[in-house]
Amino acid sequence: MQKFWYHSPVRFYKTMEELEDMTNPQNTQYYGHVKPYPLEVNSYHRYLIPNYQNEIVDTDLSLFLIGDDSIQIPCEFGVSDGKLFRITFISSEEIQGHFEVRDSSGVAIFYSNCVRFTDSTLKDGRKYIRIATQCNYNKNLFSFADNQHDWIITNLPAYCMGEFDIDEDVKSAKTGNLGSTKINSAWTEENVSYKIRAEGDSNILSFVAVHSTNQDFYIDGTKRTRKEKPETTDFTNEITMKFSNVKDENGLNIIFDEDAAFSDAFKMALANGDNTAVYVYNSNYIIPINNA
């Protein structure tokens, strides 16, 4: 039984039974380790938890990746009014498995679909694109009380191949008797295309289709607007989507402040002159950060 649409590449459910429920279309296509979702290694990822049966009693939580081994993952949890709303994590190892959120007694209270941490870097230096978005498609199912931190921030299995073009709307008029034309007004907009390697995964396709309609949708730190709905067929291997940049009143691109979004997971170490950014895990372990 599918209780709600959960448009997210990584989905956390309260029970393993919900994750294994084959009457839920989101579970039936690529379940378990057959097609794990690729997450960029050595990058920070944040996912939102649906505001449904997300109550917790124990706030001393930990995150494990269950694969060939059980590995604890550095993480930070967003808890408010006794409910779990978001999870932030990073892995420095290329490992695969499903996530389990555990309480202080080691009991799993949330389970995820399978993921694989991987280095997406191509020989020419291109990497998976990074997105930031909010779950505006269902404002009752997801919390927006903390607008600064309640974001999905992760990667998509997509690359920017340098494909861009210009949309234009030009109005011209004839001048005098000389048979010439002048431009009365012109509107132009720059577009960028991205190739998304969905490989037939409808969860990726639906996530992109739904979240790219948001007013706040960022790709690689720049606010974008989707120009057209992606055309897909059964088991589409790759789709191309076109986006335009959103500009401010000065004509500059609008930039996403990722440091501010992750500020709840970072603290500054004032013991040196550089004010080194550190990641505080469970308020007890301090991990220096290279890419904060």
Side-chain angles (χ1 to χ4, degrees):
M1 175 174 62
Q2 184 184 25
K3 297 180 180 178
F4 52 85
W5 280 108
Y6 191 172
H7 294 296
S8 174
V10 180
R11 308 185 311 281
F12 288 87
Y13 292 103
K14 190 73 173 179
T15 65
M16 182 61 77
E17 287 74 21
E18 289 178 280
L19 190 64
E20 295 175 339
D21 180 7
M22 289 299 140
T23 66
N24 182 345
Q26 291 190 275
N27 293 338
T28 57
Q29 189 171 25
Y30 292 121
Y31 172 72
H33 295 248
V34 176
K35 191 68 177 177
Y37 185 76
L39 293 171
E40 191 69 44
V41 71
N42 291 318
S43 291
Y44 295 93
H45 302 271
R46 169 164 293 176
Y47 285 91
L48 302 184
I49 305 299
N51 189 20
Y52 174 78
Q53 295 182 346
N54 58 329
E55 297 84 1
I56 58 173
V57 177
D58 187 351
T59 59
D60 186 13
L61 304 176
S62 54
L63 184 67
F64 285 81
L65 189 74
I66 312 302
D68 294 334
D69 299 300
S70 178
I71 301 174
Q72 189 167 10
I73 303 296
C75 64
E76 183 74 14
F77 297 95
V79 178
S80 178
D81 297 327
K83 293 184 176 183
L84 178 61
F85 287 110
R86 60 183 179 272
I87 300 177
T88 305
F89 56 84
I90 186 174
S91 174
S92 59
E93 301 179 71
E94 295 190 37
I95 50 181
Q96 175 177 311
H98 73 270
F99 288 120
E100 289 186 2
V101 178
R102 299 179 179 178
D103 61 20
S104 58
S105 63
V107 175
I109 60 174
F110 285 94
Y111 304 83
S112 84
N113 56 304
C114 190
V115 301
R116 181 182 76 253
F117 287 97
T118 184
D119 184 355
S120 68
T121 308
L122 301 179
K123 292 181 179 180
D124 54 16
R126 294 186 180 95
K127 297 175 71 72
Y128 282 162
I129 64 172
R130 191 163 174 81
I131 64 165
T133 179
Q134 293 183 319
C135 293
N136 293 332
Y137 71 92
N138 192 333
K139 294 185 178 181
N140 294 321
L141 189 60
F142 293 91
S143 172
F144 294 92
D146 188 348
N147 187 63
Q148 179 177 339
H149 302 119
D150 287 339
W151 291 81
I152 290 180
I153 305 173
T154 189
N155 62 264
L156 281 179
Y159 291 94
C160 177
M161 306 303 291
E163 298 178 6
F164 57 90
D165 57 36
I166 304 294
D167 279 347
E168 62 179 40
D169 184 4
V170 179
K171 294 182 180 179
S172 60
K174 296 179 180 178
T175 59
N177 299 319
L178 301 179
S180 61
T181 303
K182 70 174 183 178
I183 301 296
N184 286 337
S185 64
W187 169 90
T188 60
E189 185 175 52
E190 302 84 0
N191 305 310
V192 181
S193 295
Y194 296 91
K195 292 187 180 297
I196 301 173
R197 296 182 174 178
E199 298 183 4
D201 191 337
S202 294
N203 284 309
I204 297 176
L205 298 175
S206 63
F207 172 75
V208 175
V210 170
H211 280 264
S212 60
T213 62
N214 286 349
Q215 293 297 324
D216 291 307
F217 184 81
Y218 294 81
I219 299 178
D220 289 336
T222 302
K223 192 172 185 178
R224 317 270 184 172
T225 297
R226 192 184 80 183
K227 298 301 298 282
E228 54 196 21
K229 181 181 179 180
E231 296 297 329
T232 62
T233 58
D234 292 343
F235 302 107
T236 298
N237 182 60
E238 182 179 88
I239 62 172
T240 299
M241 292 189 66
K242 183 182 293 187
F243 295 85
S244 64
N245 292 356
V246 180
K247 300 176 183 178
D248 63 16
E249 62 275 9
N250 297 316
L252 301 176
N253 293 333
I254 298 176
I255 305 302
F256 181 68
D257 190 347
E258 192 167 297
D259 289 342
F262 281 129
S263 62
D264 59 326
F266 297 128
K267 293 184 179 179
M268 302 302 293
L270 303 179
N272 59 43
D274 296 328
N275 291 343
T276 303
V278 298
Y279 180 85
V280 180
Y281 170 55
N282 256 9
S283 301
N284 295 318
Y285 304 98
I286 298 178
I287 304 172
I289 295 172
N290 295 322
N291 59 339

